[in-house]
Amino acid sequence: MHASLSGPETGSPVVLLHGGGVAGWMWDEVRPRLEGAHRVCVVDLPGHGQSADEPWVSHEETVRKLAAQLAARFPGRRVDLIGFSLGAQLAIQFAASFPHVVSSVVVVSAQAKEMPRSDLMLRLVKATAGLAQKPWFARLQARALFIPRHLRDAYVKTSAGITEEVLLATVGGNLAFELPSGWSQYPRPALVLVGSRERRLLRDSAEVIHRALPGSELEVVEGVGHGLPLQRPEWFAERVEAWLSRRR
């Protein structure tokens, strides 16, 4: 898995996990605002961006690979995990599976409830998968996903590099995701964020994630859709940094 590092080597490690269909560049506006106090690690997940040649197998396999990579990069240190959408599901899975190496978790817009008739959604994704390779369609998608104008070329390039196999595997895993049993035993702080304009399924999922972990915090961000770190990167970075600072 490709990862880029920035910020002081002595800073507390923060790992940023992107959503499906994008790549580590989605954090470009957030990363500089965290680099002052943190060693920031931005990962390109399998099948995405600079990890496009690595196959996506499953959430569990990706988490296992990520755990090994972080252990090598930050030996003996805990990390703060920040994940968006697909990356947020991975952050939950990671914290549940390897709680001893996670200082805190920020979960942004994760689905944790089954979507009705998800089989129809997968069929639709399969039927339209070829469109993702076409720049005109990717640019339409970029606007719908709140990708800022200066990052749309990066989105088009990333979208063109995602194979149908990766697309179906990640979407299928996303739709089938259930909270792992270890989530309710995760012993450290967790912040759950969701936009007030997101689909009801995601707002309900945020409640499920929050209720399943006693002591976690839940915040519904007014006026935001499914793209908080892209729509309001400055607010997001300030909110996260303030939250992390209280736990140092």
Side-chain angles (χ1 to χ4, degrees):
M1 252 181 287
H2 174 82
S4 61
L5 296 168
S6 59
E9 291 188 9
T10 56
S12 59
V14 171
V15 180
L16 303 178
L17 302 175
H18 64 78
V22 293
W25 51 258
M26 73 158 281
W27 302 107
D28 280 2
E29 297 296 309
V30 172
R31 180 211 292 254
R33 296 177 168 94
L34 298 177
E35 289 174 342
H38 303 281
R39 185 65 166 166
V40 181
C41 177
V42 178
V43 177
D44 278 2
L45 297 172
H48 295 73
Q50 296 186 69
S51 299
D53 291 338
E54 183 177 349
W56 177 278
V57 178
S58 66
H59 283 51
E60 293 79 7
E61 179 64 15
T62 301
V63 164
R64 282 193 291 271
K65 290 181 178 178
L66 183 60
Q69 187 163 329
L70 295 180
R73 290 186 181 278
F74 306 112
R77 304 178 71 185
R78 292 196 184 108
V79 301
D80 295 296
L81 290 178
I82 301 173
F84 169 71
S85 194
L86 173 66
Q89 292 177 335
L90 295 174
I92 290 171
Q93 186 78 48
F94 194 112
S97 302
F98 303 99
H100 58 288
V101 296
V102 181
S103 292
S104 67
V105 188
V106 180
V107 175
V108 188
S109 304
Q111 181 175 323
K113 289 187 66 178
E114 184 178 359
M115 174 185 287
R117 299 309 308 270
S118 59
D119 57 324
L120 293 179
M121 174 61 75
L122 275 178
R123 284 184 216 162
L124 177 62
V125 170
K126 183 174 177 60
T128 59
L131 290 175
Q133 311 291 324
K134 301 183 182 300
W136 66 267
F137 182 79
R139 292 191 181 279
L140 288 176
Q141 283 290 96
R143 286 195 288 272
L145 295 172
F146 307 104
I147 308 293
R149 189 176 299 277
H150 68 282
L151 291 176
R152 287 180 187 170
D153 286 345
Y155 177 77
V156 171
K157 182 178 179 180
T158 299
S159 184
I162 296 175
T163 66
E164 180 177 332
E165 291 76 18
V166 167
L167 182 62
L168 291 173
T170 53
V171 171
N174 187 298
L175 295 176
F177 181 77
E178 296 180 346
L179 287 180
S181 58
W183 175 244
S184 61
Q185 280 81 49
Y186 174 67
R188 296 188 182 87
L191 174 63
V192 182
L193 299 173
V194 68
S196 66
R197 294 185 179 177
E198 299 205 56
R199 289 176 295 137
R200 180 63 179 268
L201 177 64
L202 290 170
R203 288 182 279 124
D204 289 348
S205 290
E207 290 279 357
V208 168
I209 295 165
H210 168 56
R211 288 199 304 267
L213 181 61
S216 63
E217 299 178 37
L218 171 63
E219 181 172 350
V220 178
V221 185
E222 289 298 322
V224 174
H226 191 64
L228 174 56
L230 292 161
Q231 284 181 274
R232 296 187 184 173
E234 184 173 354
W235 180 92
F236 179 79
E238 289 178 357
R239 176 70 176 92
V240 169
E241 174 56 28
W243 188 77
L244 292 174
S245 296
R246 294 204 311 267
R247 281 150 184 81
R248 286 185 200 146

